């Protein structure tokens, strides 16, 4: 187990009457790729800005390598940030942008020259040193912003939705670039995004946030396969979230039918949320289904077909490589280990909110 | 494109305006400036700038305009920075600062005359409080004061525009990379506001250089700026040739100033013109 590098203890932050973070605790381990994931307004960017020193929390403290840095100004902190929309210095060429931090620290010309060359090579921008930021594409500017941050050899790199302004193909390329950089540099990345695919692709650990609270912390696999509540299930990928009753261990009833599952310890006759991923719904001929329904929508998505099936009074979302035409009678089956049982949310805050994407 | 041609007539009134009130007067000025009373081509009017009287007026004009511009920049930059930092109330505050701009320029200058006179408002108040009076009316100081008062908003606005255009994260990025407030200002903020600075300088320097009203009202008849000399040639001496000749000289200075501005402000982003 590597040691804790950053600790956030009991952080609260509000703007006026709007509470952004409420008694927030989080630690980030050395050499970890941590992603703060959540819808806009969930407090993820505020958390990053508190770590970077651009916001001061109302209560609580921030520890960096065991030292309290809560009130330390950003220019004294041993971490660097890659900002949303890059925030390059438009009056300087690429070299001067990259050299900015090193010149402030009074490094020698030779050291700075070597570092610029190294950084440009690292982000595949050799030969761009004399260009001005305005003459570069979005993806190139993004890589300059990363180069400008990493030449300072920070212990932690903070990234605030760095790929948000790029188109899909470029974003995917940059995701691989970032993973490669992380491997090469061996530093801790704290990454903020609202894009769940991005989070699943790159992270060692994902922190799912909503309305200033942490909903779940875990590996991408944990978060995807074992969401702890309906919000996480809904936010991470598509899900069928159905009201159900846990009749006894390993048996759940929903939509009027009994399904075998693998969850235990919920008690008997307990109301629960049942989460089933669309790719885990198995469509069968009607006579073999646990419940039966009718296909109402069909879209070809390339890798799979996306279908909506009306069954038991619920619109099931189904991803399948087998196509059933609209109007077809189908049966639905789910393997027991693909049924995820969750307690109903205890408080309003954890209630799954519809997302506008 | 046929459509576009059909719409060209819309520009007609402006063409008439530009020709009638800009190009023709300019041509007339050059004609008078480069001829003598007999209609013969002559450089005498232009060269008369070399006479001690005229060159003194020009150099005084330039030094007062430079002084007013520097004072406006020193006052205007912090003011613009404060305004740019205020997020919610800035509308009201800017309104307060811009408000005097809506009042007539002559009125504002005349008001300063009333304030500064030997027995004016300020001195009456000062002597009532048994404080020493100030006697700056009819001096260069009063003229510079008038220039600063009248033209300060023209300095503040372009500076405010260029300051608000700086992304907050660019300043955060400088801090993030280790720069303290002082370094951030000189390495980031100041260079990024150069277009605004150059635009503000032009907006203050050019009207200050060419004014004759401020110097007349606040400088008395003793202090002659180049603007006053030119005015006299038209209104009292009725020597349009000399007046036009000196105007050409003044225009050269303005063009030089605008060329310098254009070099610094390639994107014309700070421009209000």
């Amino acid at each position: 187990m590597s040691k804790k590098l950053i600790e956030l203890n009991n952080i609260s932050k509000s703007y006026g009457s709007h509470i952004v973070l409420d008694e927030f605790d989080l630690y980030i381990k050395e050499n970890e790729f941590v992603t703060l994931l959540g819808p806009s307004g969930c407090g993820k960017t505020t958390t990053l800005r508190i770590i970077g020193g651009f916001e001061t929390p109302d209560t609580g403290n921030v520890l960096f390598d065991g030292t309290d840095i809560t009130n330390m100004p950003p220019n004294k902190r041993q971490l660097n940030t890659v900002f949303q929309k890059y925030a390059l210095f438009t009056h300087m060429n690429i070299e001067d942008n990259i050299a900015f931090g090193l010149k402030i620290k009074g490094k020698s010309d030779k050291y700075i020259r070597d570092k610029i060359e190294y950084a440009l090579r690292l982000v595949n921008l050799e030969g761009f040193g004399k260009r001005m930021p305005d003459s570069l594409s979005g993806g190139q500017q993004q890589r300059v912003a990363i180069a400008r941050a990493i030449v300072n050899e920070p212990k932690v790199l903070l990234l605030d939705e760095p790929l948000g302004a790029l188109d899909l193909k470029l974003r995917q390329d940059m995701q691989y670039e970032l993973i490669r950089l992380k491997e090469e540099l061996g530093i801790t990345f704290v990454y903020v995004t609202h894009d769940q695919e991005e989070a699943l692709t790159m992270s060692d650990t994902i922190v799912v946030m909503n309305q200033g609270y942490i909903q779940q912390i875990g590996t991408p696999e944990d978060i995807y396969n074992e969401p702890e509540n309906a919000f996480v299930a809904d936010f991470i990928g598509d899900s069928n979230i159905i009201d159900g009753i846990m009749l006894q261990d390993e048996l759940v009833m929903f939509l009027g039918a009994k399904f075998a599952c693998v969850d235990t310890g919920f008690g008997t006759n307990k109301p629960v949320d049942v989460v089933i991923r669309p790719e885990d719904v198995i469509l069968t001929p009607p006579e073999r289904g646990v419940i039966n329904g009718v296909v109402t929508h069909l879209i070809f998505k390339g890798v799979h077909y996306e279908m909506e099936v009306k069954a038991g009074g619920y619109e099931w979302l189904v991803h399948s490589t087998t196509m059933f035409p609209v109007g077809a009678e189908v049966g639905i089956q789910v393997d027991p280990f693909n049924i995820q049982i969750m307690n109903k949310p205890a408080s309003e805050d954890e209630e799954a909110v519809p997302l506008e994407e | 494109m046929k459509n576009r041609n059909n719409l060209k007539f819309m520009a007609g009134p402006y063409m008439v305006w530009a020709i009638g009130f800009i190009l023709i007067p300019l041509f007339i000025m050059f004609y008078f400036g480069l001829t003598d009373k007999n209609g013969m081509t002559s450089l005498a009017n232009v060269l008369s700038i070399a006479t001690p009287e005229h060159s003194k007026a020009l150099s005084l004009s330039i030094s007062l305009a430079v002084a007013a511009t520097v004072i406006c920049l020193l006052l205007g930059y912090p003011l613009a920075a404060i305004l740019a930092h205020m997020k919610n109330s800035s509308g009201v505050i800017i309104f307060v600062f811009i408000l005097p701009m809506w009042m007539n320029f002559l009125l504002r200058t005349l008001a300063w005359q009333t304030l500064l006179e030997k027995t004016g408002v300020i001195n009456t108040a000062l002597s009532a409080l048994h404080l020493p009076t100030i006697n700056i009316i009819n001096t260069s100081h009063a003229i510079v004061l008038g220039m600063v008062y009248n033209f300060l908003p023209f300095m503040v606005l372009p500076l405010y525009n260029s300051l608000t255009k700086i992304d907050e994260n660019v300043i955060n990025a400088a801090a993030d990379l280790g720069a303290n407030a002082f370094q951030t200002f000189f390495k980031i903020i100041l260079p990024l506001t150069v277009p605004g600075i150059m635009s503000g300088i032009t907006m203050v320097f050019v009207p200050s250089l060419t004014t004759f009203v401020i110097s007349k009202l606040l400088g008395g008849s003793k202090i002659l700026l180049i603007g006053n000399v030119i005015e006299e040639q038209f209104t009292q001496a009725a020597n349009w040739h000399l007046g036009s000749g000196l105007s050409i000289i003044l225009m050269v200075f303005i063009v030089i100033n605008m060329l310098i501005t254009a070099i610094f402000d390639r994107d014309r982003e700070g421009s209000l013109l």
Side-chain angles (χ1 to χ4, degrees), chain B residues 14 32 39 55 71 106 138 191 219 226 254-255 260:
Chain B
Y14 304 102
F32 276 103
S55 59
I71 293 170
L106 278 177
N138 299 342
I226 191 70
I254 294 166
V255 169
I260 294 171

Side-chain angles (χ1 to χ4, degrees), chain A residues 192-213:
Chain A
V192 160
T193 185
H194 63 267
D195 183 330
Q196 39 109 359
E197 278 185 32
E198 216 166 272
L200 293 172
T201 309
M202 295 193 289
S203 319
D204 298 322
T205 304
I206 296 178
V207 180
V208 184
M209 294 176 64
N210 189 35
Q211 300 185 353
Y213 295 95

Side-chain angles (χ1 to χ4, degrees), chain A residues 46-93:
Chain A
T46 305
T47 307
L48 196 78
R49 290 173 66 85
I50 285 172
I51 300 173
F54 306 113
E55 304 276 355
T56 315
D58 300 334
T59 65
N61 58 20
V62 184
L63 300 186
F64 184 87
D65 222 354
T67 320
D68 190 334
I69 59 161
T70 315
N71 294 310
M72 187 188 275
N75 54 329
K76 305 269 186 242
R77 298 192 182 199
Q78 279 182 304
L79 37 80
N80 285 109
T81 309
V82 176
F83 291 90
Q84 220 169 353
K85 309 222 186 90
Y86 331 134
L88 295 180
F89 306 132
T90 50
H91 60 295
M92 297 178 185
N93 67 23

Side-chain angles (χ1 to χ4, degrees), chain B residues 5 23 33 42 55 65 86 89 108-109 130 143 146 172-173 175 194 214 217 226 231 240 264-265:
Chain B
N5 283 335
L23 288 179
S42 156
S55 59
M86 286 193 277
S89 54
R108 279 180 282 153
T109 311
H130 302 289
I143 297 175
N172 285 341
V194 164
I214 294 175
L217 292 177
I226 191 70
E231 189 224 351
W240 285 30
F264 279 96
D265 189 6

Side-chain angles (χ1 to χ4, degrees), chain A residues 12 48 86 91 117 125 154 161 169 205 231 263 274 289 329:
Chain A
S12 294
L48 196 78
Y86 331 134
H91 60 295
E117 202 183 309
L125 284 176
E161 306 218 17
K169 184 75 184 70
T205 304
F231 173 81
D263 297 75
V274 179
E329 285 253 354

Side-chain angles (χ1 to χ4, degrees), chain B residues 31 139 141 150 157 176 199 208 242:
Chain B
Y31 170 76
T139 65
H141 300 296
N150 277 307
L157 273 187
D176 186 76
S199 183
S208 297
L242 183 54

